[in-house]
Amino acid sequence: MKAYIIYVKMQDVEPKVWRRIILPAGATFQKLHAIIQESTNFQSSSMQIPYHFHEFRLPEENLVVTDEPVIYEESKGKKKGPMKVRKPQSLKIDVYLEKYRSLSYTYDFGDNWQFVIELEQIVDDYHFGYPTLLDGAGDAPPEDVGGVPGFIHMKQVLADPQHPEHDHLLWWSKEQNFRTYDRKWTNQILKHLKIQKTEWNKINHLNHEIISDKYLVEDEKERAELPDGLDEALFYDYVRACTNLYGIVPDKQVLAIFNKQNPQMYVKLNTFVSLVTSKEWSEQTDGAVLREGMSFVHPLLQDLGSPEKIRQEQAGKDWYMPEKEELLKYTASGYIEKNIPYEELKTALKPNFSKLQPVDVDQVLWNFGMDLQIADSFNTAMTAMLSHLPPFENMEDVNKVAQKAMNFANNQRLWANCGHTPREISRLKPLSPLSKEQRPVGGSDQKMGRNDPCMCGSGKKYKKCCGRGI
């Protein structure tokens, strides 16, 4: 959403007191007043009746925006006068801030605190409906300290524990809610100043716990206390293993699997967020796992720009959950389950390889397995594998390899199936049985009709399945 980054500076106060704040467009002057109050040590915005009054002056518009009732009442009915007066509750800042890029703000006509508000930048990638304090410095004065001279005196006394007024002024400052500058505490307060609706669908979060954001200040992301006995290396192994097994997997699914298999190290949500946003995260994953929103993503999917396609195919399917020992085998990026169909296909391919070939049969099978993850059809993956092989001597050998390759494919754990194999999915959702008929591929004289049942056993017509695009 559209937002403004503003620089707010108190006049005549040393050391300098300033705040850099981002706020959604559409704020009223009253809301801007509240933001400044909460970013300093003033209290009027939290009271039903203002502690002190305030005003914004726009001399270019001959305009005063104020909550001072006497000034407003005196201006009513006057069509002509030195200044137009408006109430801050309904007038929005956008037009004036963008047009003049600077506003003046006065709070407490007795202590006479003067502020300058400067527009630094207009952005369109801020997604929170409330303001955020990005940066700042300097301790702001408390209410009724006596203006700039009184504030100087208070700081001098508090800096000298031997001063006769020290204890009294320390107590008084606490009564007035005087706090030193604390960005984290201020942002907790600013979250309650709603201006727009937060766009959670565009924010990297987990159950509304912010994981990362361009405008989230790094030093506010404190590392949560880790549970006793937590093996962080094991936790990161789970993240890598789940990403390799599922291709794209929601944060909450990884957390659920880890906690179920390691109840003695139970990780709560805030700890989980801390673990996946820490410096150790990038070191432990080393580019083998990427983050997209609230999911972990395999780099191959990101490179091909297809995470959303896999996510859509996963929709409505249950997650395959292997035992701990089997799951952790997927920590290795090149792991493929070497089951009976794997060994049978390997045996069928071996005669086509020699020691002089630069690529071995296991590498070809791994490539075939990865092609099955991302290819539009079995035929596409099969064609890619055959391109690495020397010509077959006869059609019988082609059909033998094709049969073993189909069996391998039906028992391959696929990202689109949430880690299940096509054979397991066919058991979970009744489909037509896998075809037992040997159907030659790649050069057979017998051609499959476009309306024939597909040889992969999906139950779909060939033209709607592996024959798409052929």
Side-chain angles (χ1 to χ4, degrees):
M1 69 180 71
K2 182 179 179 180
Y4 304 117
I5 298 178
I6 59 174
Y7 179 80
V8 180
K9 180 177 66 175
M10 292 193 76
Q11 300 283 73
D12 305 320
V13 176
E14 293 292 340
K16 292 181 179 180
V17 175
W18 61 273
R19 308 286 187 259
R20 180 170 286 109
I21 301 164
I22 185 169
L23 68 154
T28 62
F29 278 92
Q30 182 67 22
K31 193 70 73 171
L32 178 57
H33 158 70
I35 293 169
I36 297 172
Q37 293 271 302
E38 299 295 359
S39 300
T40 54
N41 280 317
F42 299 133
Q43 303 172 44
S44 278
S45 66
S46 59
M47 297 182 175
Q48 190 171 2
I49 299 175
Y51 200 79
H52 294 293
F53 299 118
H54 72 275
E55 70 175 24
F56 293 89
R57 284 191 173 265
L58 293 96
E60 303 90 346
E61 298 281 338
N62 210 31
L63 175 65
V64 175
V65 182
T66 183
D67 63 347
E68 214 287 338
V70 175
I71 296 176
Y72 182 76
E73 288 299 323
E74 288 179 349
S75 70
K76 287 176 67 175
K78 294 182 180 180
K79 295 184 179 180
K80 294 182 179 181
M83 296 290 282
K84 294 177 290 185
V85 180
R86 295 284 302 275
K87 287 185 176 180
Q89 288 82 357
S90 59
L91 187 62
K92 293 186 177 181
I93 68 173
D94 301 47
V95 172
Y96 306 101
L97 188 60
E98 291 187 31
K99 184 176 181 180
Y100 301 112
R101 305 190 71 85
S102 181
L103 301 171
S104 67
Y105 167 74
T106 302
Y107 174 68
D108 182 355
F109 301 146
D111 281 1
N112 195 37
W113 299 111
Q114 303 284 332
F115 292 78
V116 172
I117 304 159
E118 297 175 351
L119 175 60
E120 289 191 333
Q121 190 177 356
I122 302 174
V123 300
D124 59 5
D125 57 352
Y126 183 69
H127 306 301
F128 300 97
Y130 49 82
T132 297
L133 177 60
L134 301 176
D135 201 359
D139 302 331
E143 295 279 9
D144 295 334
V145 73
V148 173
F151 187 40
I152 293 173
H153 175 70
M154 187 196 86
K155 289 191 291 184
Q156 289 173 341
V157 171
L158 294 182
D160 181 9
Q162 305 304 318
H163 195 286
E165 294 183 69
H166 178 272
D167 291 349
H168 171 73
L169 268 182
L170 179 61
W171 167 83
W172 179 86
S173 67
K174 298 297 183 184
E175 288 286 299
Q176 294 295 91
N177 293 318
F178 173 71
R179 292 181 176 87
T180 57
Y181 171 66
D182 186 337
R183 179 167 47 193
K184 182 180 178 181
W185 182 88
T186 300
N187 276 329
Q188 292 300 316
I189 302 300
L190 291 178
K191 286 182 180 179
H192 300 286
L193 296 181
K194 307 297 183 185
I195 298 172
Q196 301 288 357
K197 186 177 180 180
T198 295
E199 299 171 333
W200 287 108
N201 61 317
K202 298 180 181 179
I203 297 170
N204 186 13
H205 72 98
L206 184 61
N207 294 337
H208 295 169
E209 183 80 25
I210 311 301
I211 295 176
S212 65
D213 187 81
K214 177 179 180 179
Y215 298 103
L216 182 65
V217 183
E218 287 298 322
D219 62 10
E220 288 177 12
K221 296 190 293 186
E222 293 184 348
R223 190 172 173 84
E225 184 177 351
L226 301 180
D228 292 337
L230 174 64
D231 185 341
E232 290 187 57
L234 178 63
F235 172 82
Y236 292 122
D237 281 346
Y238 266 79
V239 173
R240 284 196 301 275
C242 288
T243 303
N244 289 332
L245 174 59
Y246 303 125
I248 179 169
V249 55
D251 295 342
K252 62 181 181 181
Q253 182 62 26
V254 177
L255 185 60
I257 294 173
F258 180 85
N259 286 337
K260 184 174 182 179
Q261 297 188 350
N262 304 276
Q264 75 283 5
M265 301 184 217
Y266 194 94
V267 173
K268 294 183 179 180
L269 178 61
N270 64 331
T271 305
F272 176 80
V273 172
S274 178
L275 285 167
V276 300
T277 57
S278 67
K279 293 180 180 178
E280 289 82 358
W281 162 255
S282 57
E283 296 172 359
Q284 291 283 347
T285 55
D286 193 27
V289 178
L290 303 177
R291 289 194 56 73
E292 183 183 274
M294 294 177 286
S295 299
F296 299 108
V297 181
H298 194 283
L300 181 60
L301 280 180
Q302 196 73 282
D303 292 342
L304 296 173
S306 53
E308 189 56 36
K309 176 187 173 184
I310 296 296
R311 187 184 282 112
Q312 289 173 358
E313 293 178 347
Q314 289 177 342
K317 296 174 182 174
D318 295 328
W319 294 92
Y320 167 69
M321 288 183 58
E323 295 297 325
K324 179 176 180 178
E325 182 179 356
E326 178 62 25
L327 174 61
L328 290 177
K329 291 178 181 178
Y330 285 88
T331 302
S333 59
Y335 178 73
I336 287 183
E337 192 175 320
K338 295 184 177 180
N339 48 24
I340 293 175
Y342 178 97
E343 296 298 340
E344 287 181 344
L345 179 57
K346 182 176 179 179
T347 300
L349 290 175
K350 265 189 174 181
N352 294 278
F353 287 81
S354 69
K355 295 180 180 180
L356 299 177
Q357 285 180 292
V359 180
D360 64 17
V361 64
D362 286 300
Q363 182 64 48
V364 169
L365 286 176
W366 184 86
N367 291 338
F368 182 48
M370 295 306 295
D371 285 338
L372 288 171
Q373 301 285 13
I374 59 177
D376 291 332
S377 68
F378 169 80
N379 276 5
T380 304
M382 185 69 182
T383 300
M385 181 177 71
L386 292 177
S387 68
H388 294 287
L389 304 178
F392 286 87
E393 293 185 0
N394 54 66
M395 190 54 60
E396 184 179 348
D397 290 341
V398 175
N399 286 337
K400 181 180 178 181
V401 169
Q403 182 187 32
K404 300 300 183 184
M406 180 60 69
N407 194 33
F408 173 88
N410 281 333
N411 290 277
Q412 171 77 0
R413 302 212 168 275
L414 298 180
W415 295 341
N417 288 342
C418 297
H420 288 288
T421 68
R423 191 177 295 276
E424 289 169 345
I425 288 292
S426 70
R427 292 169 183 164
L428 295 171
K429 295 182 179 180
L431 298 170
S432 300
L434 293 173
S435 173
K436 295 182 180 179
E437 180 182 354
Q438 294 185 22
R439 297 185 181 273
V441 297
S444 169
D445 292 334
Q446 180 184 356
K447 294 185 178 180
M448 177 175 290
R450 288 177 54 75
N451 290 316
D452 289 345
C454 188
M455 61 183 172
C456 74
S458 67
K460 299 178 182 179
K461 291 183 179 181
Y462 176 63
K463 68 181 180 182
K464 297 286 188 180
C465 190
C466 294
R468 282 183 297 173
I470 297 177

